[in-house]
Amino acid sequence: MKTSISILTLFFLLLSCGESQNDSLDSLISSGDLEQIRSRKLSLSEEVKSLNEQVSKLDSVIAILDADTRFPLVNTYEVNPQNFEHYLDLQGNVATKQNVLIYPEMAGSLERVYVKEGDRVVKGQLLGKINDGGLANQLEQLRAQAALAETTYQRQKRLWEQNIGSEIQYLQAKTSYEAIANNVQQVEQQLGKSSIRAPFSGIIDDVIKDQGTVVSPGPGSEIFRIVNLSNMYINVDVPETYVGSVAEGTKAQVYFPVLGDSVQTSIRQAGNFINPNNRSFSVEIPVPNTKGRIKPNLTARVMINDYSNADALLVPQSVISENAEGEQYVFIVDNPDEEMKGTAKKRVVTTGKTQGRYVEILSGLQQGNLIIQEGARSVKDNQDVQIIK
């Protein structure tokens, strides 16, 4: 009972003290005495400062004595050697060396067309026929003359070998036969030009002239377009900076955005000339076209593997910070205990190439270091932290 009376008495005393202070403060404000008001303000400010210092000291002592103090929570990433491949990202267009227009080799009427657009043809296949203008008949006459000249020559040769007849007769027969044989070959070659044949295996992409059209050698008289889609390639210009890391045999990935497809390949040829206009050199990358979907002039994204390291130390780019001096650094957790509590330590690092979300660390870290990943922006050097999984 006495205890209750004492508590109530203390409560009313504090209440009356607070009321009296408020009354005193109100009276001071009502007085309008500027000097007194400033003096009171200064006094109260010093009291507040003193109280804040005392609270800070108490917090420090509580943090030391209280075993249940909560440390900042962080998530870590263990650094271990792993394979790292850096790719140079370039743009290119698909081309083929077997994409040609076929022109006539002689003048005349296009007598027959044996193929249509989309047909697959093999090398040497007959595609069209031009009217020969009587060359076939002329050839038959020459062949008959050549046969007679050959018979005369062979008989005269046998007689000459038996010392019968004159040498002049033998030489005349020989010369006559050889001349007619040469004429036969020339007419055969000329007649062969009336037949239009495929220069390589491929697909007839376009039949440009219709049957019956009069054609002649020269520009504007193309008859067919033939394309071979099995031997495709991409030419890309590589900056001269990579001349030491991009060469014949370098791995490459080719992605076709329109098709949503990609192929694995390697550089077939690297140029030996630096273009002074754009300071680059050309590389040729073959593109297998097993599905037949890749077409000439198709846009492609080319990824060339210019750097590889089988034992690289990689960290996410998001954990790397930079100080005022331009140094890059990360925080690691040093010596975590069984309860996964440890101390945050700042480590200045040297970075290398970047690929995707990760960057290669060249120096400043060791295998097994625990990099603070989540919470790295809120910790300080030598601060105790709690690791969460």
Side-chain angles (χ1 to χ4, degrees):
M1 184 66 180
K2 290 181 179 180
T3 304
S4 300
I5 294 174
S6 299
I7 293 174
L8 288 174
T9 302
L10 180 60
F11 173 74
F12 284 117
L13 285 174
L14 292 173
L15 182 60
S16 60
C17 182
E19 290 178 352
S20 63
Q21 288 180 353
N22 288 336
D23 292 340
S24 175
L25 183 60
D26 291 338
S27 300
L28 179 60
I29 293 173
S30 301
S31 68
D33 189 341
L34 182 60
E35 292 299 328
Q36 291 294 327
I37 293 175
R38 286 178 174 172
S39 177
R40 183 63 179 276
K41 177 186 175 183
L42 180 61
S43 176
L44 290 175
S45 297
E46 291 177 351
E47 290 180 10
V48 170
K49 182 179 179 181
S50 176
L51 290 173
N52 286 334
E53 291 176 352
Q54 294 178 40
V55 169
S56 179
K57 290 180 180 180
L58 292 175
D59 285 340
S60 300
V61 174
I62 291 173
I64 295 174
L65 298 178
D66 188 2
D68 296 328
T69 299
R70 300 188 63 182
F71 298 122
L73 302 179
V74 297
N75 180 271
T76 58
Y77 170 84
E78 184 174 355
V79 180
N80 286 307
Q82 55 186 294
N83 185 52
F84 174 65
E85 293 185 342
H86 181 267
Y87 287 87
L88 178 62
D89 196 345
L90 300 170
Q91 293 289 332
N93 292 324
V94 178
T96 176
K97 294 181 179 178
Q98 294 184 323
N99 176 15
V100 300
L101 292 169
I102 301 177
Y103 291 83
E105 295 185 85
M106 67 178 294
S109 173
L110 185 59
E111 194 173 64
R112 292 293 302 274
V113 174
Y114 297 102
V115 294
K116 61 182 183 299
E117 295 175 359
D119 284 354
R120 293 184 177 273
V121 297
V122 297
K123 182 178 180 180
Q125 181 175 332
L126 186 62
L127 307 179
K129 189 78 169 62
I130 298 174
N131 187 289
D132 58 31
L135 277 178
N137 295 331
Q138 183 180 346
L139 179 61
E140 290 301 321
Q141 294 176 2
L142 286 173
R143 283 174 176 170
Q145 295 176 11
L148 177 59
E150 183 181 10
T151 301
T152 301
Y153 164 65
Q154 292 297 337
R155 289 181 178 180
Q156 194 65 44
K157 181 181 179 182
R158 286 195 294 271
L159 292 173
W160 174 247
E161 289 174 350
Q162 297 173 13
N163 295 321
I164 301 174
S166 66
E167 183 180 4
I168 294 297
Q169 290 176 325
Y170 166 71
L171 294 176
Q172 287 176 341
K174 179 180 179 182
T175 302
S176 177
Y177 166 65
E178 291 177 348
I180 296 176
N182 287 333
N183 289 337
V184 170
Q185 290 182 356
Q186 290 177 4
V187 175
E188 285 177 343
Q189 292 176 357
Q190 189 68 23
L191 185 61
K193 294 179 180 180
S194 66
S195 298
I196 305 172
R197 299 184 180 275
F200 51 81
S201 299
I203 299 174
I204 300 299
D205 190 61
D206 192 8
V207 178
I208 304 172
K209 294 291 189 295
D210 296 327
Q211 187 169 298
T213 305
V214 176
V215 297
S216 61
S221 294
E222 54 271 12
I223 301 176
F224 304 102
R225 177 185 289 276
I226 182 171
V227 180
N228 186 346
L229 299 181
S230 63
N231 187 21
M232 314 290 281
Y233 70 96
I234 298 176
N235 257 337
V236 293
D237 291 333
V238 180
E240 65 175 339
T241 309
Y242 301 93
V243 71
S245 56
V246 175
E248 180 181 345
T250 301
K251 292 191 302 182
Q253 299 177 6
V254 180
Y255 174 69
F256 302 99
V258 175
L259 302 178
D261 194 11
S262 61
V263 295
Q264 302 289 332
T265 181
S266 60
I267 293 177
R268 178 166 60 194
Q269 180 181 355
N272 298 309
F273 172 74
I274 302 295
N275 189 333
N277 296 322
N278 57 10
R279 308 306 305 172
S280 66
F281 63 98
S282 178
V283 298
E284 184 176 297
I285 303 171
V287 181
N289 193 17
T290 55
K291 299 179 182 178
R293 302 169 61 197
I294 303 173
K295 311 296 181 185
N297 300 315
L298 190 66
T299 301
R301 180 183 178 188
V302 182
M303 308 282 288
I304 300 176
N305 179 212
D306 66 311
Y307 174 77
S308 298
N309 186 355
D311 297 313
L313 298 179
L314 304 179
V315 301
Q317 294 188 61
S318 58
V319 306
I320 299 178
S321 302
E322 187 172 324
N323 58 25
E325 289 75 27
E327 295 177 327
Q328 293 180 311
Y329 64 89
V330 298
F331 282 103
I332 69 169
V333 177
D334 192 26
N335 298 323
D337 58 20
E338 295 180 355
E339 297 179 354
M340 302 305 290
K341 294 178 182 179
T343 304
K345 297 289 186 180
K346 180 189 289 188
R347 290 287 184 269
V348 176
V349 297
T350 302
T351 59
K353 295 183 179 293
T354 301
Q355 189 69 43
R357 294 177 49 244
Y358 292 90
V359 59
E360 183 184 16
I361 302 299
L362 303 179
S363 64
L365 293 179
Q366 296 179 352
Q367 178 180 350
N369 283 157
L370 296 177
I371 305 294
I372 297 179
Q373 189 169 5
E374 296 181 10
R377 306 296 182 185
S378 60
V379 300
K380 298 179 181 179
D381 193 19
N382 296 317
Q383 182 178 13
D384 292 332
V385 294
Q386 173 71 56
I387 301 175
I388 59 173
K389 295 184 178 180

